[in-house]
Amino acid sequence: MSESNREYIVISGARENNLQNVSLRIPKRKITIFTGVSGSGKSSIVFDTIAAESTRLLNENFSMFVRSFLPRVPQPDTDAIENLSMAVIVDQKRLGGGSHSTMGTITDISPILRLLFSRAGQPYVGESNMFSFNDPQGMCPECNGIGRKLNVDMDKAVDLSKSLNEGAIKLPDYKVDGWDWSLVVQAGPFDPDKKLSHYSDEELEKLLYSKAKKVKMDFAGKATNVTVEGVIEKFTNKYIKQDLKTKSERTQKAVAPFITEGTCSTCHGSRLSQAALSCKMNGFNIAEMSSMEVGQLIRIIHEVDIAVAAPIVKSLSERLQHLVDIGLDYLTLDRETDTLSGGESQRVKMVKHLSGSLVDVTYIFDEPSVGLHPRDVHRLNELLQKLRDKGNTVIVVEHDPDVIKVADHIVDVGPHAGSHGGTIVYEGSFQGLLESGTLTGTHMKRPLELKHDTRQPSGKLSIKNATLHNLQDVNVTIPTGVLTVVTGVAGSGKSTLINDVFLSQNPGAIVIDQSAVGVSTRSNPATYTGIMDDVRKAFASANKVNKGLFSFNSKGACENCQGLGVVYTDLAFLESVKLPCEVCRGRRFKEEVLAYKLNGKSIAEVLEMTVERALEFFEQKEIVRKLQAMSDVGLDYITLGQPLSTLSGGECQRIKLASELHKQGSIYVMDEPTTGLHMSDIGLLLTIMNRLVDAGNTVIVIEHNLDVISQADWIIDMGPDGGSNGGEVVFEGTPSQIIHAEQSITGKYLA
Ligand code: ADP
Ligand code: ADP
Ligand code: ZN
Ligand code: ZN
């Protein structure tokens, strides 16, 4: 390798997925941004080639014994990759981890705060694990550090307007004349015909809460020993104080509606023991500090000036400052990580790496601007630059022009998607990109156009006095029959208003999000859109055989792989390994089924067709209509049989759109639909949204993308800022009005 090549990661002849023998050099210790239309092959280079090779090399460092337990990462389909350093992938996968994983634990900030309390808290209480709800010493003994407790939902459990004979007790074990019911009635002294609302307080207390007592009772003339107990008391002992998961599924289902989760009354949700809660610093205990927004917490920590704790305070403020820098100042340390959005999750992971001391690492980011308002994008840029300046190589897949601008090097992948893409159409500087004439370059130069001929609404839907999370008693109307865009900085309350409040009031709305589609490993675009069913019929009538033969889970399917085309090899406690089926060679059907042809093609050959090719091949009206819908949402390049699990978020979203396109009079809700979309794809998305509206539907979109905002009929701008400084509607109106609205940050960026 020549000396100058040491300054580059060198990739030669990459052929993963749609890549057409791509060769390129990525400068080390610089920021390289990959852009291009969705489906062009960015992920195939960055994730399936570069990241995959790095993981494989890392695994090779382990001994044969350890490696036998690791999932086998196949060598990416490429001639060579040279000069690669360890890669860290910072993606948008949600941070799971259950109730014990919080923002504070995942960023390693909580341990430092605990240490600070153990040194500087008053009164002095002891070691830092005294302040940990994950530690038996620190956790609230009542709820075991969960902060929540299960309770009986009294409104559902008893109906006070009825008598015992009328079925006042609605709990599953208390059917009228059933065993438990009879015990209660016989044990008395209750009048089974008296409505519960007429009971005295003592009677009600006895009926519901009396402790277990052994009594002799007369059943069919026989004296029998039985235990009687208050109705709620018994239910609590039987189902709430024991782990429900150990009961049968049927019992769990029957009991679940009567159980609600509430805050633990001992620790008030703080999860900590009383000793931990009584220790304070600057007047606040650790639970109070953990529930403060980071922006406020950092100011309080600065006021702690105890000599012994100086280094701890320094490292704590440094990390908190990283959270502020990346635009997460509205989050709290006690926020459970599984409630964070994809964009928030990625930024939290980023903070973890900023505080670390690794150098010469290749960091790979997947659209880090997701969820960020244009106002906050410069903060993200500064963080990417910081990582680079520490001596790391930064590789980013990104569509946002404001991020692309800070790249040291840009790689534009295209020219189009799928088989029409997979090549590099431009490499070089930002200025050069603008002049390159590629789709990306051309779109970047185009000025923003405001929509002036906005549509008139057909009616309105109201949200009244919304107070969930940070919403400050919000009253707002959403016009129907038009395209409404809800915008505002991250944390201002957009998702809370639409995904939580609006959707719970309008449960019939159609939500088009980017979450994965398809539950079965056999799902593909053909099965998801219903095309497969029509194709099977066509094959059956052409060959005069049963259409069941052409189903992946019928006796026509390959027996070795059960129609999957791949075989999974289980590895005790790791992800299983997937290999192509040797019997059908991935074609999924038996030879005899493959012998049946439709216009000369077998079922496997049809499944290998792209939507574009299938449109030429089929004449059947229903099939053509469904294929056309896929083509309309820009998925011509997808093959009918591609497993849904390999589709990107943006592709999943569009396939959902394709199967909903023919509806009328519905409400559509989309959360950041431009994620993963190139500027030129956004035009296509807008066309689809406008088509939906023109067909009489209501479309509501949460979005930061200025191209989409500028084309709205109606804008609802949330703010003014994130968290407790947000939660208000700061503007409602049209695009041409918002640019003059003083109070709207979004308006300024649009202008
Ligand atoms: P981008 O990241 O630019 O959106 P991708 O690299 O994800 O594009 O995809 C490039 C092409 O390869 C697309 O046509 C996509 O559908 C296809 N593709 C991606 N992953 C797989 C896979 N695992 N199997 C088959 N095709 C794939
Ligand atoms: P946006 O969608 O505008 O980014 P969100 O609606 O996600 O804003 O958040 C608004 C506020 O509500 C923020 O302070 C956020 O931290 C808080 N929040 C959102 N979801 C939850 C949740 N599941 N639990 C607690 N707080 C939440
Ligand atoms: Zn508790
Ligand atoms: Zn097979």
Side-chain angles (χ1 to χ4, degrees), residues 396-412:
V396 188
V397 175
E398 185 58 79
H399 298 286
D400 186 329
D402 288 330
V403 183
I404 299 178
K405 261 180 215 157
V406 300
D408 299 305
H409 186 67
I410 294 165
V411 180
D412 194 7

mmCIF file of all heavy atoms in Angstrom, residues 396-412:
data_model
loop_
_atom_site.group_PDB
_atom_site.id
_atom_site.type_symbol
_atom_site.label_atom_id
_atom_site.label_comp_id
_atom_site.label_asym_id
_atom_site.label_seq_id
_atom_site.Cartn_x
_atom_site.Cartn_y
_atom_site.Cartn_z
ATOM 1 N N VAL A 396 -20.966 9.708 7.899
ATOM 2 C CA VAL A 396 -22.358 10.034 8.182
ATOM 3 C C VAL A 396 -23.210 9.807 6.938
ATOM 4 O O VAL A 396 -22.828 10.226 5.849
ATOM 5 C CB VAL A 396 -22.492 11.527 8.590
ATOM 6 C CG1 VAL A 396 -23.905 11.835 9.067
ATOM 7 C CG2 VAL A 396 -21.487 11.892 9.661
ATOM 8 N N VAL A 397 -24.360 9.129 7.119
ATOM 9 C CA VAL A 397 -25.354 9.076 6.047
ATOM 10 C C VAL A 397 -26.344 10.186 6.359
ATOM 11 O O VAL A 397 -26.902 10.225 7.453
ATOM 12 C CB VAL A 397 -26.082 7.707 6.023
ATOM 13 C CG1 VAL A 397 -27.191 7.719 4.979
ATOM 14 C CG2 VAL A 397 -25.093 6.587 5.736
ATOM 15 N N GLU A 398 -26.537 11.119 5.458
ATOM 16 C CA GLU A 398 -27.336 12.300 5.794
ATOM 17 C C GLU A 398 -27.942 12.939 4.556
ATOM 18 O O GLU A 398 -27.384 12.865 3.454
ATOM 19 C CB GLU A 398 -26.448 13.302 6.547
ATOM 20 C CG GLU A 398 -27.129 14.540 7.077
ATOM 21 C CD GLU A 398 -28.279 14.240 8.025
ATOM 22 O OE1 GLU A 398 -28.061 13.924 9.217
ATOM 23 O OE2 GLU A 398 -29.414 14.331 7.551
ATOM 24 N N HIS A 399 -29.132 13.565 4.724
ATOM 25 C CA HIS A 399 -29.795 14.249 3.615
ATOM 26 C C HIS A 399 -29.907 15.743 3.852
ATOM 27 O O HIS A 399 -30.250 16.480 2.950
ATOM 28 C CB HIS A 399 -31.219 13.700 3.441
ATOM 29 C CG HIS A 399 -31.259 12.265 3.110
ATOM 30 N ND1 HIS A 399 -30.931 11.787 1.871
ATOM 31 C CD2 HIS A 399 -31.565 11.182 3.855
ATOM 32 C CE1 HIS A 399 -31.044 10.478 1.856
ATOM 33 N NE2 HIS A 399 -31.418 10.085 3.056
ATOM 34 N N ASP A 400 -29.698 16.176 5.091
ATOM 35 C CA ASP A 400 -29.949 17.570 5.434
ATOM 36 C C ASP A 400 -28.808 18.456 4.913
ATOM 37 O O ASP A 400 -27.659 18.305 5.331
ATOM 38 C CB ASP A 400 -30.060 17.677 6.966
ATOM 39 C CG ASP A 400 -30.465 19.068 7.404
ATOM 40 O OD1 ASP A 400 -30.097 20.042 6.699
ATOM 41 O OD2 ASP A 400 -31.125 19.190 8.440
ATOM 42 N N PRO A 401 -29.134 19.406 4.017
ATOM 43 C CA PRO A 401 -28.095 20.257 3.433
ATOM 44 C C PRO A 401 -27.251 20.967 4.494
ATOM 45 O O PRO A 401 -26.050 21.161 4.304
ATOM 46 C CB PRO A 401 -28.889 21.292 2.624
ATOM 47 C CG PRO A 401 -30.235 20.702 2.426
ATOM 48 C CD PRO A 401 -30.474 19.748 3.543
ATOM 49 N N ASP A 402 -27.870 21.344 5.616
ATOM 50 C CA ASP A 402 -27.128 22.066 6.641
ATOM 51 C C ASP A 402 -26.082 21.197 7.328
ATOM 52 O O ASP A 402 -25.122 21.709 7.891
ATOM 53 C CB ASP A 402 -28.078 22.659 7.685
ATOM 54 C CG ASP A 402 -28.856 23.822 7.104
ATOM 55 O OD1 ASP A 402 -28.305 24.502 6.203
ATOM 56 O OD2 ASP A 402 -30.015 24.024 7.513
ATOM 57 N N VAL A 403 -26.275 19.874 7.314
ATOM 58 C CA VAL A 403 -25.241 18.980 7.843
ATOM 59 C C VAL A 403 -24.220 18.690 6.748
ATOM 60 O O VAL A 403 -23.013 18.713 6.984
ATOM 61 C CB VAL A 403 -25.850 17.656 8.373
ATOM 62 C CG1 VAL A 403 -24.761 16.782 8.991
ATOM 63 C CG2 VAL A 403 -26.943 17.934 9.388
ATOM 64 N N ILE A 404 -24.715 18.452 5.539
ATOM 65 C CA ILE A 404 -23.824 18.116 4.421
ATOM 66 C C ILE A 404 -22.762 19.206 4.247
ATOM 67 O O ILE A 404 -21.604 18.928 3.952
ATOM 68 C CB ILE A 404 -24.636 17.913 3.117
ATOM 69 C CG1 ILE A 404 -25.620 16.738 3.310
ATOM 70 C CG2 ILE A 404 -23.720 17.636 1.928
ATOM 71 C CD1 ILE A 404 -26.515 16.465 2.129
ATOM 72 N N LYS A 405 -23.163 20.449 4.521
ATOM 73 C CA LYS A 405 -22.249 21.589 4.397
ATOM 74 C C LYS A 405 -20.955 21.442 5.189
ATOM 75 O O LYS A 405 -19.926 21.959 4.780
ATOM 76 C CB LYS A 405 -22.948 22.856 4.902
ATOM 77 C CG LYS A 405 -23.511 23.714 3.788
ATOM 78 C CD LYS A 405 -24.177 24.947 4.370
ATOM 79 C CE LYS A 405 -25.381 25.312 3.515
ATOM 80 N NZ LYS A 405 -26.377 26.099 4.223
ATOM 81 N N VAL A 406 -20.986 20.777 6.349
ATOM 82 C CA VAL A 406 -19.781 20.728 7.184
ATOM 83 C C VAL A 406 -18.860 19.569 6.819
ATOM 84 O O VAL A 406 -17.816 19.392 7.429
ATOM 85 C CB VAL A 406 -20.103 20.631 8.694
ATOM 86 C CG1 VAL A 406 -20.917 21.821 9.133
ATOM 87 C CG2 VAL A 406 -20.763 19.321 9.034
ATOM 88 N N ALA A 407 -19.252 18.780 5.811
ATOM 89 C CA ALA A 407 -18.415 17.638 5.451
ATOM 90 C C ALA A 407 -17.069 18.097 4.901
ATOM 91 O O ALA A 407 -16.974 19.118 4.229
ATOM 92 C CB ALA A 407 -19.136 16.791 4.400
ATOM 93 N N ASP A 408 -16.009 17.335 5.221
ATOM 94 C CA ASP A 408 -14.724 17.574 4.583
ATOM 95 C C ASP A 408 -14.742 16.932 3.202
ATOM 96 O O ASP A 408 -14.025 17.329 2.304
ATOM 97 C CB ASP A 408 -13.607 16.934 5.414
ATOM 98 C CG ASP A 408 -13.543 17.540 6.815
ATOM 99 O OD1 ASP A 408 -13.426 18.770 6.910
ATOM 100 O OD2 ASP A 408 -13.642 16.770 7.801
ATOM 101 N N HIS A 409 -15.578 15.879 3.101
ATOM 102 C CA HIS A 409 -15.622 15.113 1.863
ATOM 103 C C HIS A 409 -17.050 14.593 1.685
ATOM 104 O O HIS A 409 -17.658 14.136 2.639
ATOM 105 C CB HIS A 409 -14.633 13.940 1.975
ATOM 106 C CG HIS A 409 -14.471 13.159 0.720
ATOM 107 N ND1 HIS A 409 -13.892 13.676 -0.411
ATOM 108 C CD2 HIS A 409 -14.823 11.887 0.406
ATOM 109 C CE1 HIS A 409 -13.876 12.757 -1.372
ATOM 110 N NE2 HIS A 409 -14.441 11.665 -0.894
ATOM 111 N N ILE A 410 -17.562 14.677 0.469
ATOM 112 C CA ILE A 410 -18.934 14.223 0.218
ATOM 113 C C ILE A 410 -18.921 13.119 -0.832
ATOM 114 O O ILE A 410 -18.200 13.212 -1.826
ATOM 115 C CB ILE A 410 -19.816 15.392 -0.281
ATOM 116 C CG1 ILE A 410 -19.960 16.432 0.837
ATOM 117 C CG2 ILE A 410 -21.185 14.902 -0.725
ATOM 118 C CD1 ILE A 410 -20.487 17.771 0.365
ATOM 119 N N VAL A 411 -19.708 12.059 -0.582
ATOM 120 C CA VAL A 411 -19.866 10.994 -1.563
ATOM 121 C C VAL A 411 -21.349 10.948 -1.928
ATOM 122 O O VAL A 411 -22.198 10.704 -1.066
ATOM 123 C CB VAL A 411 -19.422 9.624 -0.993
ATOM 124 C CG1 VAL A 411 -19.594 8.530 -2.048
ATOM 125 C CG2 VAL A 411 -17.989 9.681 -0.487
ATOM 126 N N ASP A 412 -21.664 11.196 -3.183
ATOM 127 C CA ASP A 412 -23.063 11.202 -3.635
ATOM 128 C C ASP A 412 -23.306 9.888 -4.385
ATOM 129 O O ASP A 412 -22.647 9.607 -5.387
ATOM 130 C CB ASP A 412 -23.279 12.425 -4.547
ATOM 131 C CG ASP A 412 -24.754 12.712 -4.786
ATOM 132 O OD1 ASP A 412 -25.609 12.048 -4.143
ATOM 133 O OD2 ASP A 412 -25.064 13.588 -5.609
#
